[in-house]
Amino acid sequence: MDARKLVLREQRLVGMLPAAELERLSAAVESVDGDIRAELEFARDLGGYLAASGKLGFSVHLECQRCLQPVPKDVEAEFRWGIVWSEEQGKALPRDLDPVMQNGDELDLYQVLEDEILLNLPMVAYHDEECVPRDRFHFGGESGGEDEQRENPFKVLEQLKGSSDKS
Ligand SMILES: [Zn+2]
C-alpha cells in the first residue's frame, strides 16, 4: 500500500494482524495470545506532513524475570507516525511524529506495525504476586538463619585481628 494514497483518501484501517505472520514478535515473547488488534488513520497533520495515528492492542506471555515462568501481559499502545522516504526526512519531522519509512511506492504495513509492536513490548516482566518466596532471595539477608551464617566470616576476621594484635 502506498501511504501517499492512504493519506489522500484519509483512509481508516481497522483489523486484526494474525500473530502467526509476525515472526519477530513470536521470537521475542514466550507466546502471542490471539491476534493483534490494529487501527490506523491516515491524514495530513497540521504541518502538512503525511501522518498516521494508530492504536494497537495485544496479549502476550513474557518470561518473568524472577521465576522464569511465563507471565501474561496485555499491551495497549497509541502512536503517531510520519511517513518518510529517507532518514533525513525522518529527522526533519516534528517531535510528535515517529518516522516510518516507506520504500518507493510500497509501505509494508505488516513490517512497520510489527516494529511498533516490538517497541511497545515491556522490557522486563514480573508476576504481580510474589512468585518466588522472599527467603529465596539471598541479597537481602532478612531471614534469621542466614544472618547467623553471614556473621561467621566476620567473627573469624575478628579472631584473626585479635590474634595479630597479640603478636
Ligand atoms: Zn514470576
Side-chain angles (χ1 to χ4, degrees):
M1 273 186 264
D2 185 347
R4 284 168 293 206
K5 287 179 187 161
L6 295 171
V7 167
L8 203 64
R9 294 201 295 255
E10 302 202 330
Q11 185 80 50
R12 182 159 183 268
L13 303 171
V14 181
M16 304 293 282
L17 292 172
E21 302 276 334
L22 305 176
E23 285 175 17
R24 285 182 296 151
L25 174 63
S26 300
V29 299
E30 297 289 297
S31 63
V32 185
D33 309 321
D35 293 335
I36 287 91
R37 284 173 284 120
E39 210 178 305
L40 282 170
E41 270 187 78
F42 290 85
R44 279 195 188 274
D45 87 330
L46 293 175
Y49 293 95
L50 303 182
S53 303
K55 285 184 197 167
L56 283 169
F58 57 96
S59 301
V60 291
H61 273 74
L62 299 169
E63 188 181 69
C64 172
Q65 296 301 295
R66 202 157 39 205
C67 67
L68 307 182
Q69 297 301 308
V71 54
K73 286 284 165 196
D74 295 323
V75 181
E76 300 283 336
E78 292 191 22
F79 50 89
R80 296 259 296 147
W81 289 346
I83 315 295
V84 294
W85 278 261
S86 69
E87 279 190 34
E88 289 71 41
Q89 288 179 342
K91 284 176 190 151
L93 283 176
R95 294 181 81 187
D96 66 320
L97 295 179
D98 296 325
V100 157
M101 197 89 73
Q102 172 167 326
N103 285 320
D105 293 335
E106 186 69 22
L107 177 65
D108 189 340
L109 265 185
Y110 270 44
Q111 187 81 17
V112 293
L113 277 170
E114 189 170 22
D115 288 342
E116 193 65 48
I117 290 167
L118 291 171
L119 277 175
N120 283 286
L121 277 182
M123 297 290 281
V124 291
Y126 296 100
H127 285 106
D128 290 337
E129 68 273 18
E130 210 172 274
C131 49
V132 174
R134 230 176 157 48
D135 56 15
R136 286 234 234 129
F137 286 110
H138 292 288
F139 41 78
E142 284 160 45
S143 65
E146 275 186 25
D147 275 351
E148 274 174 38
Q149 280 188 347
R150 215 170 270 262
E151 275 169 19
N152 282 342
F154 294 105
K155 277 179 185 161
V156 171
L157 268 181
E158 272 167 33
Q159 282 163 7
L160 284 176
K161 221 173 135 191
S163 64
S164 68
D165 279 350
K166 275 175 206 161
S167 64

